[in-house]
Structures are given as structure tokens and as C-alpha cells.
Amino acid sequence: MPRLGVNIDHIATIRQARRTVEPDPVWAAALAELGGADGITIHLREDRRHIQDRDVRVLRDTVQVKLNLEMATADEIVQIALQTKPEQVTLVPEKREEVTTEGGLDVIGNRDRVGQVVRQLQDAGIDVSLFIDPEVAQIEASRDLGVSGIELHTGCYADATTEAAQADELQKLQVAGAAARNAGLLLHLGHGLTYRNVIPVARMEGVCELNIGHSIIARAVLVGLERAVREMKQLITI
Ligand code: PXP
């Protein structure tokens, strides 16, 4: 059974929309744990559009399950990871103008820099996973760098608009998943997974971790909205 890593970045996105203190990702992490999350995932982006440095520090102290920090290989962020020591770092590519992480890390094209950061993190006792597209060559390059796992980018599967295209993308994930397992890598998957498309991915052989954010936070807003309105209404009608 795969473990569930809940990505709580968008709790911070809502907070940053007003630069205020609510909602606090620290509260969200505690509730996600109560709901059964096996891990809490956060992405400290260079532009700090959602998660802030303070969140990383406080979550490091308060999260009781695995803390997975997604990050680019930028020096400043690497230093923060080395200081806070999350259980796991997932290295991702990052472009300032992107809405979300758009593609996997090009491990082949950035072998030297990625390898250097992998070693720094591993020397600090941090497990490293690389977020890559489902391509065998990237998996082999990841294995050569000695990481413990890879996270396959499920964005193309999630974006597929026909059943045939979705089956095709699932097949690519399955082939890549088998290659990862054969290479001795832990198999993680994530990006764009929803309540509607997650089941075939969760059933893939040997999946160890799914990282899901947007869909869970989107549902949380809606399933909680009715109660939130009722509570405000009660306050103003007394
Ligand atoms: N995994 C990685 C590496 C990501 O960058 C993201 C998005 O931050 C996710 C998983 C979660 O994606 P989503 O929010 O679409 O569920």
C-alpha cells in the first residue's frame, strides 16, 4: 500500500494572498496527520510564493510523520535544507514564471550540479529523491547518482484528456516504475493526482509514496466551507 504525502503548499498560498497569519500550514500539517497522512510535503520555492522559511523551521519541529522538502538545487535553499534536516528532500526543477512544477528534473543534463547537491544532503543524513519524467534514461542517471528514490512526474497522466491517452501515460509510468524498481530505487509518484485519477496510479506495482497537494486542499476548502459560513453566521446573529 503506498504511503500518502500531503503537500500543504496551498494552505500557505492562501495565507500569502493576504500576507497574514492564517491559515497556518503548521495547523494544516497537524490536521493532515490526524487524517492519516504518512508524510507532509512542502516546497520552499526561491520566490517564496507560498511556504516561507519560518514554515520549514516550525514544521521541522512539529511534524511527527516524514517531512519531505521539495526544492531546487539553488545554493541558498540547499543551505536551509542542510540546517533544518528534513527526513527527505525531493529535488525538483524550478522556473520563476511557472504556475507549478512543469516538468521533471533533467538529471542527465545537470548531472554535476545535481550530484553535488545529492552528496551534500546525504552527508547531512537526508534521504534524497529526484522528481523526474517517466524516462528510463533519467532513471538510470538517478541511480548512478546514488539517490534512494525517484518521484515520477504524473502530470502528463493527469492532463490526458481521453481514456486512450490516459492509458498510454499510465503505461509509460508502469514501464518507468518497473525500471526504477529494477534499479533498486524507491518509487514515488506525484503531481496532478486527484480523487478521480489516483486509483490506477496507487495500484501500480511497488509504489511506495504518492505526493498529493492541490486536489486535497481544494476539497478541504469545499467540504469545510459550509461549516465555516455557519459558524460566522452564528457569531453575527447573537
Ligand atoms: N510532487 C512534486 C515533486 C511537486 O512539485 C508537486 C507540486 O508541488 C506535487 C507532488 C503535488 O502536486 P499537486 O499539487 O498537483 O498534487
Side-chain angles (χ1 to χ4, degrees):
M1 197 179 62
R3 295 192 302 255
L4 175 62
V6 177
N7 180 315
I8 56 171
D9 290 348
H10 289 330
I11 298 292
T13 302
I14 299 173
R15 177 191 61 192
Q16 294 311 112
R18 286 293 181 88
R19 306 260 189 286
T20 177
V21 294
E22 64 173 5
D24 192 323
V26 176
W27 291 25
L31 290 172
E33 280 186 40
L34 281 176
D38 302 295
I40 298 297
T41 294
I42 49 174
H43 185 172
L44 183 66
R45 296 186 74 101
E46 284 184 81
D47 64 9
R48 308 297 200 274
R49 69 173 71 159
H50 39 54
I51 293 294
Q52 306 295 305
D53 299 32
R54 166 266 182 197
D55 299 327
V56 182
R57 283 196 307 275
V58 181
L59 287 165
R60 170 62 299 182
D61 282 347
T62 53
V63 165
Q64 298 298 311
V65 291
K66 176 163 104 176
L67 183 64
N68 173 34
L69 177 65
E70 293 173 0
M71 52 177 256
T73 53
D75 239 338
E76 184 215 355
I77 306 288
V78 173
Q79 290 311 316
I80 292 172
L82 293 173
Q83 279 154 23
T84 45
K85 293 190 172 42
E87 278 85 11
Q88 178 176 294
V89 159
T90 302
L91 291 178
V92 302
E94 204 173 290
K95 291 195 224 102
R96 274 180 193 256
E97 61 280 11
E98 69 191 357
V99 173
T100 180
T101 317
E102 280 165 4
L105 193 64
D106 178 8
V107 183
I108 300 167
N110 299 285
R111 201 184 296 261
D112 289 350
R113 177 61 186 155
V114 174
Q116 190 183 29
V117 173
V118 167
R119 280 189 300 279
Q120 277 182 294
L121 295 166
Q122 286 178 333
D123 286 349
I126 301 167
D127 282 339
V128 184
S129 176
L130 304 178
F131 184 53
I132 56 174
D133 291 327
E135 291 168 13
V136 172
Q138 295 290 351
I139 291 166
E140 287 168 352
S142 302
R143 176 205 54 207
D144 293 347
L145 291 184
V147 292
S148 51
I150 47 108
E151 179 172 328
L152 294 179
H153 194 315
T154 49
C156 290
Y157 164 79
D159 290 344
T161 51
T162 64
E163 265 183 42
Q166 196 183 47
D168 220 41
E169 294 300 334
L170 185 63
Q171 169 76 11
K172 285 185 200 159
L173 291 170
Q174 279 161 340
V175 170
R181 288 200 318 279
N182 289 337
L185 294 164
L186 295 173
L187 176 58
H188 309 157
L189 295 107
H191 212 284
L193 296 177
T194 69
Y195 293 82
R196 290 184 196 282
N197 67 20
V198 73
I199 291 174
V201 172
R203 286 189 180 152
M204 275 175 50
E205 210 180 319
V207 183
C208 152
E209 178 179 307
L210 297 177
N211 283 302
I212 309 180
H214 183 88
S215 193
I216 293 176
I217 303 305
R219 179 169 288 231
V221 169
L222 291 184
V223 298
L225 186 59
E226 189 181 335
R227 176 169 157 195
V229 171
R230 203 174 293 119
E231 286 176 4
M232 182 59 81
K233 184 94 180 171
Q234 257 169 13
L235 273 180
I236 64 169
T237 49
I238 305 172

